Amino acid sequence: YELPRRIVWILMGVLYFYPGFWKLWTSGVDWVACDHFVQMMRYKWYAMGGVGPWYRPDRFPTLMRLGGMVTIAWELLFLPVVFVRPLRMPLAVLGVIFHGFTELLLLISFRALQACYVVFVDWEGLYRRVQAFRGVTVTPVPPETAPVSVRPVLLTGLFLVLINGHQGAVHRYFSWPFSLFPTFEQLNESVVTPSIRMEASGPGGPLPELAQA
């Protein structure tokens, strides 16, 4: 299953690369040099009901700028680094942690993407090591006598990589069934978040259901 694993690595790299590319293309170094990351955090807290985390990372703007730099570096470098064998497992661990911090800071869940990191585990090798630790001898499985064609997997993977790469290159997100991941590329330096409050009432008084909708 080595070929499918590598295809998934490439797909994840494509998924990460274009948001980082469009951040720099649209906003340049200002995406990390100004207080955009702090304001984006506050906006997401407001959009999620006005309740942020109990800690206040937005009070440390320098640390948040560093977080913005790490975000872009992660998105742009994931694809080449994933094929450096000594760095692969550290990259996988950092990926799970990276998205954990994204959920903590921005209240955005990437758990579906975090689940993809299982492809970094060599399950067969892990099974052999566990059995060896238990003192159990693992009998190697004889290879298939008939040749197995990898063409269907290769063609499917090539199609997925190309179509996702195209969607990223042409900046097409919120499309279906293939889409660019949200890029969060636009700067938001304003400390004011525009909002509209609507109240509705009828003969019997306020209509909370309509107002809430």
Side-chain angles (χ1 to χ4, degrees):
Y1 55 86
E2 190 64 22
L3 178 60
R5 289 179 67 205
R6 291 177 180 272
I7 290 174
V8 175
W9 297 344
I10 296 174
L11 280 171
M12 293 176 69
V14 170
L15 182 149
Y16 283 127
F17 174 79
Y18 281 105
F21 169 81
W22 285 112
K23 286 182 181 70
L24 291 181
W25 182 269
T26 303
S27 302
V29 295
D30 286 342
W31 201 89
V32 297
C34 64
D35 289 335
H36 161 72
F37 200 73
V38 171
Q39 300 307 331
M40 183 174 65
M41 248 191 324
R42 291 171 177 169
Y43 175 79
K44 293 302 297 184
W45 297 346
Y46 178 81
M48 297 298 289
V51 180
W54 60 269
Y55 48 88
R56 294 298 302 273
D58 56 318
R59 295 176 178 172
F60 305 93
T62 302
L63 185 61
M64 293 299 96
R65 293 189 189 105
L66 179 61
M69 294 174 60
V70 170
T71 298
I72 292 182
W74 175 268
E75 292 171 334
L76 295 179
L77 297 178
F78 181 93
L79 186 55
V81 172
V82 76
F83 287 99
V84 180
R85 187 179 182 86
L87 300 178
R88 191 173 301 148
M89 284 309 298
L91 183 73
V93 173
L94 289 174
V96 175
I97 296 174
F98 174 79
H99 289 298
F101 272 104
T102 302
E103 185 167 1
L104 286 173
L105 297 178
L106 298 176
L107 307 181
I108 304 175
S109 174
F110 288 93
R111 294 178 186 177
L113 184 55
Q114 284 175 295
C116 294
Y117 279 87
V118 297
V119 300
F120 285 83
V121 180
D122 180 6
W123 295 103
E124 183 179 354
L126 179 61
Y127 173 75
R128 287 198 303 267
R129 286 191 290 271
V130 170
Q131 294 299 83
F133 178 78
R134 296 174 56 196
V136 178
T137 302
V138 178
T139 304
V141 179
E144 295 283 346
T145 55
V148 177
S149 175
V150 298
R151 183 175 298 177
V153 175
L154 184 60
L155 291 178
T156 301
L158 183 61
F159 168 76
L160 292 174
V161 170
L162 289 177
I163 192 65
N164 280 280
H166 172 268
Q167 297 296 78
V170 299
H171 201 251
R172 184 174 297 160
Y173 52 90
F174 298 125
S175 60
W176 187 90
F178 303 104
S179 173
L180 168 65
F181 233 46
T183 61
F184 300 102
E185 68 200 62
Q186 299 293 340
L187 291 180
N188 180 20
E189 300 182 67
S190 174
V191 296
V192 178
T193 300
S195 61
I196 299 176
R197 175 173 179 153
M198 300 180 65
E199 296 183 1
S201 61
L207 302 177
E209 295 84 2
L210 182 59
Q212 192 175 33

